[in-house]
Amino acid sequence: MTFSLWFDTGGGGLPGRANRLQSGVRYRDEDSFTAALRRRLPSRGRVRLGIGDDAAVLAGGTVLTVDGYRQGVHFDLHYLSWREVGARCACAALSDVVAMGARPDALFVTLALPPAARRRDVTALYRGLDSVCARLGCEIAGGDTIAGRELLLALAATGRTQCPLLRAGARPGDGLYLTGQAGAAETGRLRLARDPAASRRNPAVSRHVRPRPRLEAMLALRPRITALIDTSDGIAGDARRLARASEVRIIIAPEHLPTLTATRTLCRRSGRDLTEFILTAGEDHELLFCARGPVPGRAGAVPVTRIGRVERGRGLWLERAGRRQRLTLRGYDHLRP
Amino acid sequence: MTFSLWFDTGGGGLPGRANRLQSGVRYRDEDSFTAALRRRLPSRGRVRLGIGDDAAVLAGGTVLTVDGYRQGVHFDLHYLSWREVGARCACAALSDVVAMGARPDALFVTLALPPAARRRDVTALYRGLDSVCARLGCEIAGGDTIAGRELLLALAATGRTQCPLLRAGARPGDGLYLTGQAGAAETGRLRLARDPAASRRNPAVSRHVRPRPRLEAMLALRPRITALIDTSDGIAGDARRLARASEVRIIIAPEHLPTLTATRTLCRRSGRDLTEFILTAGEDHELLFCARGPVPGRAGAVPVTRIGRVERGRGLWLERAGRRQRLTLRGYDHLRP
């Protein structure tokens, strides 16, 4: 998701039922797996931007990202319908295109169908995929379906822009901003895991079940944005990637992180640390960006919140009541033991 | 493969260990599955060519195809190394780009890795994928890796052309041509299934293990080609798709089908009908095309053979010794019961 450009080794995922790459394939974390592959595979000058962002940029300004999703890891049919699975996966893939500053054009769907799949399941899955495309004006333009032991989707999403918004580009003095609320989708997921029939109108449930890529917000904010990523592996991990790509220090003021009442209630009742929860919760698919100059507090219907700032230096820091601490929390990572 | 543009429901595959979409998902065949989905999913004008060929064509001339491959269905690690699996899958995907008349630019790799996979297996797989890219001057430009129960690859391949070569375009009076030999890859696969250590220098084994998309041949023949497809599901199925897309009748003269000695020997010894074998054997990834005017007998190192012709009418016919019969043989189809 967030990190498809290069080897997103499964970004996102359900923290509650983590399914890591165990077995003989051991890497320190996703970024080191990515880096190892990247060193081995030569560039041959055919791609305008090939490595290190949410998506690749081909000649002519075509943006392309690929992502894999698996039952039990990236979605759960125990509390999602096939249609909802389609919508979630389409949003995750198309959100990476939006996070490059591009308008989505097409979605390509490779599907591995388990023996238990019925014809109406496949139809519902495609309806869900197409529902997100319809909202963005793009279309499903191709695919492949094979039989498999378990349900797996591999999506390729394309878009176009002559001027991609990259992770690198943040400069000291920029503010750090977030659209929507932090941790909303994970709050919704935990609610659904307890009660699969939970109302889809609940804002947290809705963000998990029917997330929408923030295309309008991106287009509205675009002139101000210096660096952009979408939140899929948790704000901590995604902000760290912005800091690393831009070679700057990013400071987050956790009391400014916007949250739903449902998220605060969840943390209070379950004894979770609110800051830790919202910094590591994945799958929100909000825009996390650095910007210079005034940024409006809303972009259409979507709230935009300043949650920190950019300084000279390195790394990711938390600042509360004037005291700083280095942030070592990470988002969800398939490869970390 | 051949038919990725729209919903290739698993084109290619190992006929010996067919793994069809059983379960509740029943369609008459792949083309009807494709047609059913196609009717449901609206076009929104974002894609230049979205349905009905080897790959889609996006704005700006970007060609894009996606394909899924699964252990035991599309390749077999019992007699292929991880590196060879990578090379075979990369060839299949990139061959679809070549079959659009485009130069391949980039390959994107979504991988589901089973628990038994080791780090060196992954490295070897990527080496195999990149070996084909290196031959074509293109590059691996992104990917995603997740854990899965079985090894699955989903590849997206891109290229560019301002003037795609389509399946539709054949006209009465054209000749029908094939590069290389028919049935070579399947001959090699059967040899390997018997003897996994069979020499990789054997021409049939080599076509199965290290197939190469026919890029140079396509570029050389391009000015003559009126309609083009790559052979992945067997000549019968692929020629039928040419005939249907071009709304013409195609007549194949089976005695003209070029074959390796190894293929003829295999059929004689095993009591197989040679014509049936070569018309249904998949995974050759040769160019099957219609052309007007003189066509050279070689394109670089690759033999080019006239195997039939195009007439007014419909359907696919076989002509031997002046007698015609309608050809009902089909290639490999994941969805046919």
Side-chain angles (χ1 to χ4, degrees):
Chain A
M1 332 255 190
T2 298
F3 179 40
S4 278
L5 155 80
W6 194 231
F7 295 94
D8 177 1
T9 47
L14 312 180
R17 22 174 74 222
N19 183 308
R20 302 215 156 87
L21 280 179
Q22 289 155 348
S23 80
V25 183
R26 296 203 184 283
Y27 293 87
R28 192 161 43 84
D29 55 26
E30 294 185 18
D31 291 346
S32 70
F33 179 65
T34 300
L37 283 170
R38 186 173 161 174
R39 276 195 303 276
R40 285 174 189 285
L41 296 170
S43 158
R44 296 187 182 96
R46 289 294 186 91
V47 167
R48 206 166 117 190
L49 176 74
I51 294 177
D53 227 293
D54 296 277
V57 185
L58 308 177
T62 296
V63 166
L64 177 52
T65 180
V66 297
D67 256 317
Y69 312 89
R70 177 188 167 198
Q71 158 60 21
V73 181
H74 301 87
F75 55 83
D76 198 324
L77 282 165
H78 293 103
Y79 50 78
L80 294 178
S81 69
W82 285 73
R83 186 180 167 128
E84 288 168 345
V85 167
R88 263 178 62 67
C89 294
C91 172
L94 292 162
S95 182
D96 276 331
V97 172
V98 171
M100 294 299 286
R103 266 182 199 276
D105 280 330
L107 189 67
F108 294 79
V109 184
T110 303
L111 211 54
L113 285 178
R118 295 155 303 174
R119 190 164 170 158
R120 69 165 179 266
D121 297 331
V122 180
T123 305
L125 184 72
Y126 272 99
R127 280 219 181 101
L129 289 161
D130 193 54
S131 70
V132 179
C133 291
R135 297 277 296 219
L136 304 175
C138 67
E139 62 195 74
I140 298 178
D144 191 11
T145 304
I146 63 177
R149 277 198 233 164
E150 54 189 344
L151 178 62
L152 251 138
L153 285 86
L155 301 183
T158 77
R160 247 172 318 154
T161 178
Q162 284 312 318
C163 186
L165 296 174
L166 308 182
R167 295 176 181 181
R171 295 155 306 175
D174 288 355
L176 179 72
Y177 297 85
L178 182 73
T179 60
Q181 287 83 20
E186 178 62 5
T187 304
R189 187 187 74 78
L190 291 169
R191 176 94 184 78
L192 282 166
R194 258 195 350 261
D195 173 17
S199 165
R200 269 51 182 166
R201 291 186 174 197
N202 175 300
V205 170
S206 158
R207 193 70 200 159
H208 182 73
V209 164
R210 265 195 315 266
R212 308 245 184 259
R214 299 297 196 192
L215 176 62
E216 292 86 355
M218 183 279 288
L219 293 171
L221 298 165
R222 192 185 159 105
R224 293 284 173 203
I225 294 175
T226 55
L228 175 61
I229 194 170
D230 83 317
T231 60
S232 63
D233 294 336
I235 292 176
D238 296 324
R240 189 176 284 108
R241 285 171 183 148
L242 279 183
R244 197 175 291 157
S246 295
E247 302 185 338
V248 293
R249 170 174 300 167
I250 287 184
I251 295 144
I252 296 181
E255 70 271 23
H256 292 162
L257 284 166
T259 49
L260 293 175
T261 308
T263 304
R264 296 191 297 274
T265 305
L266 169 81
C267 287
R268 201 178 55 241
R269 288 196 183 151
S270 64
R272 286 176 169 91
D273 180 80
L274 178 66
T275 302
E276 181 171 338
F277 180 80
I278 58 185
L279 286 172
T280 55
E283 303 293 303
D284 272 328
H285 302 301
E286 296 290 352
L287 305 175
L288 176 67
F289 62 99
C290 303
R292 172 136 302 195
V295 169
R298 299 192 80 81
V302 184
V304 181
T305 312
R306 185 175 165 119
I307 63 168
R309 64 184 191 279
V310 178
E311 285 187 359
R312 237 176 251 284
R314 291 283 180 278
L316 184 61
W317 298 72
L318 224 55
E319 192 173 77
R320 289 192 242 228
R323 291 188 55 189
R324 280 193 189 179
Q325 66 181 112
R326 183 129 191 171
L327 191 55
T328 50
L329 279 177
R330 283 166 170 278
Y332 183 77
D333 190 321
H334 274 251
L335 294 190
R336 277 203 310 149
Chain B
M1 333 257 191
T2 296
F3 179 39
S4 277
L5 156 77
W6 194 230
F7 294 94
D8 178 359
T9 45
L14 311 180
R17 21 173 76 219
N19 182 309
R20 302 214 156 90
L21 281 180
Q22 289 155 347
S23 78
V25 184
R26 297 203 185 281
Y27 292 89
R28 194 160 42 83
D29 54 26
E30 295 186 14
D31 291 347
S32 69
F33 179 63
T34 300
L37 282 171
R38 189 173 158 173
R39 276 194 303 275
R40 284 175 189 283
L41 296 170
S43 158
R44 297 187 180 96
R46 290 292 187 92
V47 167
R48 205 166 118 191
L49 177 74
I51 296 176
D53 227 291
D54 296 277
V57 184
L58 307 178
T62 296
V63 167
L64 177 53
T65 179
V66 297
D67 255 318
Y69 312 90
R70 176 187 168 200
Q71 159 60 21
V73 181
H74 302 89
F75 55 83
D76 198 325
L77 282 166
H78 293 104
Y79 50 77
L80 293 178
S81 69
W82 283 73
R83 186 181 168 127
E84 288 168 347
V85 167
R88 263 179 62 67
C89 294
C91 172
L94 292 162
S95 183
D96 276 331
V97 172
V98 171
M100 294 299 286
R103 268 181 197 274
D105 280 329
L107 190 67
F108 293 78
V109 184
T110 302
L111 209 57
L113 284 179
R118 294 155 303 173
R119 190 165 170 156
R120 67 163 180 268
D121 297 332
V122 180
T123 306
L125 183 72
Y126 272 98
R127 281 222 179 97
L129 290 160
D130 193 56
S131 70
V132 178
C133 291
R135 297 277 297 219
L136 304 177
C138 67
E139 62 195 76
I140 298 179
D144 190 11
T145 305
I146 63 178
R149 277 198 234 165
E150 54 190 345
L151 179 61
L152 252 139
L153 284 86
L155 301 183
T158 77
R160 247 173 319 155
T161 178
Q162 285 311 318
C163 188
L165 297 174
L166 307 183
R167 295 177 181 181
R171 294 155 307 176
D174 288 355
L176 178 73
Y177 298 84
L178 181 73
T179 60
Q181 286 84 23
E186 178 63 4
T187 304
R189 188 187 74 78
L190 292 168
R191 175 93 184 77
L192 281 167
R194 260 197 346 265
D195 172 16
S199 167
R200 270 50 182 168
R201 292 186 173 196
N202 175 299
V205 170
S206 158
R207 193 71 199 156
H208 182 72
V209 165
R210 263 195 315 267
R212 307 246 184 257
R214 298 297 195 192
L215 176 62
E216 293 85 355
M218 183 279 287
L219 293 172
L221 298 164
R222 196 187 156 104
R224 293 282 174 206
I225 295 176
T226 55
L228 175 61
I229 195 169
D230 84 318
T231 60
S232 62
D233 294 337
I235 292 175
D238 295 324
R240 187 175 285 109
R241 284 169 182 151
L242 279 183
R244 195 173 294 157
S246 295
E247 302 185 337
V248 293
R249 171 174 298 169
I250 287 185
I251 294 143
I252 296 181
E255 70 273 21
H256 291 162
L257 283 165
T259 49
L260 294 174
T261 308
T263 303
R264 296 190 297 274
T265 306
L266 169 80
C267 288
R268 201 177 55 243
R269 287 195 183 153
S270 63
R272 286 177 170 90
D273 180 79
L274 178 66
T275 302
E276 181 171 337
F277 179 81
I278 59 184
L279 286 173
T280 56
E283 302 294 302
D284 273 329
H285 301 301
E286 297 289 353
L287 305 175
L288 177 67
F289 62 99
C290 302
R292 173 135 302 194
V295 169
R298 300 192 78 80
V302 183
V304 180
T305 312
R306 185 177 164 115
I307 63 168
R309 64 183 191 281
V310 178
E311 284 187 357
R312 237 176 252 282
R314 291 284 181 277
L316 184 62
W317 298 71
L318 223 53
E319 191 174 79
R320 291 189 243 230
R323 292 188 55 192
R324 280 193 188 179
Q325 66 180 114
R326 181 126 191 176
L327 191 53
T328 50
L329 277 177
R330 284 168 170 274
Y332 183 77
D333 191 320
H334 274 250
L335 294 192
R336 278 203 309 148

